[in-house]
Amino acid sequence: MVFIITGASHTGKTYLAQQLLERYKYHYLSIDHLKMGLIRSGHTSLTVDDDDKLTEYLWPIVREMIKTAIENKQNLIVEGCYIPFDYKNDFSEEYLVQIKYVCLVFSEEYMNKHYDAIIAHRNAIENRLESSYSKELMLNENRKTLEVCKKHGCEYVLIKENYLSELKEVFG
């Protein structure tokens, strides 16, 4: 089984991946780690601000790693925001049945009510270098993510009230 976890920034992708790692003991790939390794090593001229280009650059690598894991009957957790919403087009049905995909999205009500807590937990698993992530940017990112998920028929979790209990509904 391969878990793919994506979503807007600060939605807890890394946190969820860590929880799944601890529960299932599956291997875990952070696309951010891959991205930073390629950027810092000079294997790409892209920067952390090149989101769309990074998706185009990283997805073919990640996609083939997912296929390899499935072919070898290995479990894997993949998390990050560089996963295209039309990812299904890159896999035949024999692969898709082995993939559990979820996109994490905060509802507008959740963000308005819990913005300070979201920011306070941004370093729960990783240390983020950025110092600010505005509420308006968060609202816009999550609106766009939800819209694109619906457009492409992607599985998503719309977090409305209780983050932990709503995630447990997806992965038990």
Side-chain angles (χ1 to χ4, degrees):
M1 177 62 61
V2 175
F3 291 111
I4 298 177
I5 304 166
T6 191
S9 184
H10 292 71
T11 52
K13 298 178 296 293
T14 306
Y15 174 81
L16 177 56
Q18 183 71 32
Q19 296 302 306
L20 292 170
L21 166 74
E22 291 171 11
R23 180 175 181 180
Y24 296 110
K25 310 295 187 237
Y26 289 1
H27 295 280
Y28 164 30
L29 170 67
S30 166
I31 301 174
D32 279 344
H33 291 174
L34 178 60
K35 168 189 77 177
M36 292 310 298
L38 291 164
I39 289 172
R40 288 180 173 176
S41 67
H43 280 85
T44 181
S45 60
L46 297 173
T47 70
V48 295
D49 296 320
D50 294 323
D51 282 343
D52 290 339
K53 291 179 184 175
L54 281 165
T55 299
E56 291 174 21
Y57 183 70
L58 294 170
W59 178 242
I61 298 165
V62 173
R63 177 192 66 219
E64 297 308 315
M65 292 173 75
I66 291 168
K67 286 180 180 178
T68 300
I70 291 170
E71 290 162 359
N72 288 302
K73 298 180 180 20
Q74 296 170 319
N75 299 311
L76 181 64
I77 302 163
V78 177
E79 72 84 15
C81 59
Y82 303 106
I83 298 166
F85 291 99
D86 64 351
Y87 78 97
K88 288 181 182 178
N89 296 338
D90 292 328
F91 297 102
S92 65
E93 189 58 34
E94 69 183 293
Y95 292 105
L96 288 173
V97 297
Q98 296 296 319
I99 296 172
K100 172 67 174 164
Y101 170 99
V102 69
C103 183
L104 303 180
V105 184
F106 288 142
S107 71
E108 194 165 326
E109 296 78 20
Y110 184 87
M111 288 181 282
N112 285 325
K113 188 174 181 181
H114 299 286
Y115 175 76
D116 291 335
I118 293 166
I119 296 304
H121 287 95
R122 74 175 179 256
N123 293 321
I125 303 296
E126 297 179 315
N127 291 321
R128 294 178 179 269
L129 298 179
E130 85 253 11
S131 59
S132 67
Y133 184 61
S134 75
K135 190 176 191 179
E136 192 58 39
L137 180 58
M138 183 182 293
L139 287 164
N140 288 335
E141 260 190 45
N142 279 270
R143 278 186 209 120
K144 179 182 175 186
T145 299
L146 181 58
E147 179 183 307
V148 178
C149 276
K150 288 178 177 180
K151 176 183 174 186
H152 289 281
C154 296
E155 295 290 325
Y156 63 89
V157 175
L158 183 61
I159 299 163
K160 299 175 187 173
E161 293 178 25
N162 186 303
Y163 181 82
L164 293 177
S165 67
E166 291 177 42
L167 286 183
K168 283 183 182 179
E169 289 179 22
V170 177
F171 292 107

